[in-house]
Amino acid sequence: MALLQIAEPGQSAKPHQRKFAVGIDLGTTHSLVATVRSGRAETLPNSLGGHLLPSVVRYRLDELPQVGSKALQHVVDDAPNTIMSVKRLMGRGLQDVTRLGESMPYVFEACEDGMPMLHTTAGLKSPVQVSADILRVLAQRGEASLGGELVGAVITVPAYFDDAQRQATKDAATLAGIQVLRLLNEPTAAAVAYGLDNEKQGTIAVFDLGGGTFDISVLRMQKGVFQVLSTGGDSALGGDDFDHAIADWVCQQRDIVNLNLSQQRFLLRQARTAKEALSQVSATDLSFAGWPGVSCPLDVELDREKLNSLLDPIIAKALRATKKTLRDAGLGVAEVDQVVMVGGSTRAIRVQERVAELFDKPPLTSIDPDRVVALGAARQADVLVGNQAGEEMLLLDVLPLSLGLETMGGLVEKVIDRNTPIPVARAQDFTTYQDGQTAMVVHVLQGERDLVQDCRSLSRFELRGIPPMAAGAAKIRVTFQVDADGLLEVSARELASGVAATIQVKPSYGLSENQIADMIKASWSNVAEDRGARSLREQQVEADRLLEAIAVAMQADGERLLTTVEQQTIVTQMEALIVARGGDDHHAITKQIDVLAKATDEFASRRMDDSIKRALAGKAVDNI
Ligand code: ADP
Ligand code: MG
């Protein structure tokens, strides 16, 4: 008879039952998957030991698509079916894509729902489907190396990605059967990778020059808390542009004109190989052996000096965007303590030199610039699935573009400014324009310009059933809520009657106005029931704001200006608010907010008196 097994006290039968979560860097050129094992973040290889998965998918008739290196081999001989740089097409409308597509060898077609599709031998494929095929391979790789099912993934996106592009990325993950724990800005992920390794304080610029995108982010780091002060960059600038510059120069050297697609790709590949080699050697040859379809012209020699002159104008663009982003954060170059380099193109020596010149200090390159984003994402994933009990990491991302509403005269009223930390909720009150007006169009826009026509239209919905009143008498509160992934929900409520409407701003992928209207109608039906839930959210946000402000004030002046008993009273009321905030009764929260505000009245006026006294005494006034 078999003996029953009993585990040792304090040890469960499966002592290493951890939740497997991965970080995924879904790049324009390469993608990576990483995880945290035994406290260390590491990227995961495929069965052949390669870590970088080329972001390339080749579709075939009646066969599964090839993904990665296998697909990459057919970039020249099967160009129309071999999809590269699909990240540039994510969340774009047909118009954007056609413009971008001029330099791409694909055939695009609008599909029923307006999403642009690519013609392949295996049928029409959307950019979301292509990305899903890449993600699926990464998830499988994760499961194979971890030996278990994934609970979820943190997927990184460029800081510049708008709502539609973020949603498209999420959709791709869902299609691939991956649970998205969080979308994370790539530069923030890089800062996580560096910041947790060396606990430095200060201001950091993350310079991410990849294959197709340039992102610059300015972060403030303080004891494990990162705050993104500003983000900027160029969603169409990167190593691909270096390759094109080199290829164009080669064509000039050899009077080459009218290349067909395969030849273009061949030449670009040669250019890229030469460029990459030049970060090791000082000169190299571009060889045309194997030049498809024609007898090969002579080799062209490219040296570092020539390369520098070709790269400089492109790097200059990145540096201009960098300076602008620093200005956005209200900082000068000298105030940046460290510069983190991310992305394969920062291996180019010229890029490192120019960045060092701008900041007057050498940039950080100690973590592999190809892997740093995936490693940071893996750390964040590990935290989000609760594998790091007690270790709290607070990540404050910012909104890349302002969000606002259309007001009379085709003007945009900003409700949340760009670079506001997310998640965030903001409300603003609007009113009616005409006597007896009973409905109002809420038109949600994204962008920095003042006129509606210059901003991107995200969504439009109507608030109906406003009781007829004189113009300007109705009070309509519009609330914008952006979640941690940067996705937006907008609600509008007439305060007297309580009529309300909410819309989840589903990005439109270039949908027509009519299609958008249909989508919106569908979301109206269950609007009224959400009212209570919304009030609750609003009160919770209010409670958080108050608690935070009081905590800061107590920290600064509590001991100096209050007796022990007074301090204790405030703390007790704060605790009561925290309890109320955790419940689901928004009236209870409102009530406790009032109680706490009263309890701190006296403290507030003492702080005011105190700072005035100090000002009169000619001392520096902090913390007014
Ligand atoms: P993405 O995140 O956009 O996918 P990556 O960060 O993977 O891009 O960077 C890919 C780019 O880096 C390509 O343009 C590639 O040519 C370039 N690159 C890689 N190694 C080097 C090198 N040694 N010197 C210059 N550029 C390089
Ligand atoms: Mg990248």
Side-chain angles (χ1 to χ4, degrees), residues 25-28 30 87 186 208 210-211 213 342-344 369-370 373:
D25 174 7
L26 186 61
T28 312
H30 293 115
K87 189 169 174 179
E186 287 162 11
D208 180 350
T213 53
V342 181
D370 284 330
V373 168

Side-chain angles (χ1 to χ4, degrees), residues 372-402:
V372 61
V373 168
L375 294 174
R379 291 213 174 273
Q380 178 71 1
D382 201 45
V383 171
L384 290 176
V385 293
N387 279 340
Q388 294 192 7
E391 199 175 316
E392 201 154 303
M393 179 159 61
L394 188 54
L395 273 184
L396 301 170
D397 261 338
V398 291
L399 210 60
L401 295 166
S402 300

Side-chain angles (χ1 to χ4, degrees), residues 352-390:
Q352 297 182 359
E353 285 172 0
R354 282 279 134 114
V355 169
E357 254 171 53
L358 176 70
F359 288 98
D360 200 22
K361 57 176 68 77
L364 291 179
T365 49
S366 66
I367 301 181
D368 182 343
D370 284 330
R371 301 189 195 189
V372 61
V373 168
L375 294 174
R379 291 213 174 273
Q380 178 71 1
D382 201 45
V383 171
L384 290 176
V385 293
N387 279 340
Q388 294 192 7

Side-chain angles (χ1 to χ4, degrees), residues 378-502:
R379 291 213 174 273
Q380 178 71 1
D382 201 45
V383 171
L384 290 176
V385 293
N387 279 340
Q388 294 192 7
E391 199 175 316
E392 201 154 303
M393 179 159 61
L394 188 54
L395 273 184
L396 301 170
D397 261 338
V398 291
L399 210 60
L401 295 166
S402 300
L403 294 168
L405 284 186
E406 173 170 355
T407 58
M408 288 309 297
L411 292 173
V412 180
E413 174 72 19
K414 286 188 188 142
V415 177
I416 309 182
D417 283 326
R418 70 187 296 254
N419 286 330
T420 300
I422 55 173
V424 63
R426 290 272 160 82
Q428 194 152 322
D429 292 344
F430 294 86
T431 190
T432 45
Y433 178 69
Q434 284 169 323
D435 286 346
Q437 186 176 337
T438 59
M440 157 178 266
V441 175
V442 180
H443 184 193
V444 183
L445 296 136
Q446 182 175 46
E448 308 315 307
R449 306 281 294 273
D450 287 330
L451 295 180
V452 167
Q453 67 203 50
D454 298 325
C455 289
R456 180 188 169 105
S457 170
L458 287 181
S459 183
R460 214 188 263 274
F461 67 105
E462 282 177 36
L463 179 66
R464 296 190 167 276
I466 301 171
M469 287 182 244
K475 204 169 178 194
I476 287 112
R477 178 156 300 168
V478 180
T479 306
F480 279 47
Q481 250 171 288
V482 182
D483 71 13
D485 297 325
L487 298 174
L488 172 68
E489 184 182 281
V490 180
S491 59
R493 181 163 49 115
E494 199 286 306
L495 295 181
S497 62
V499 291
T502 297

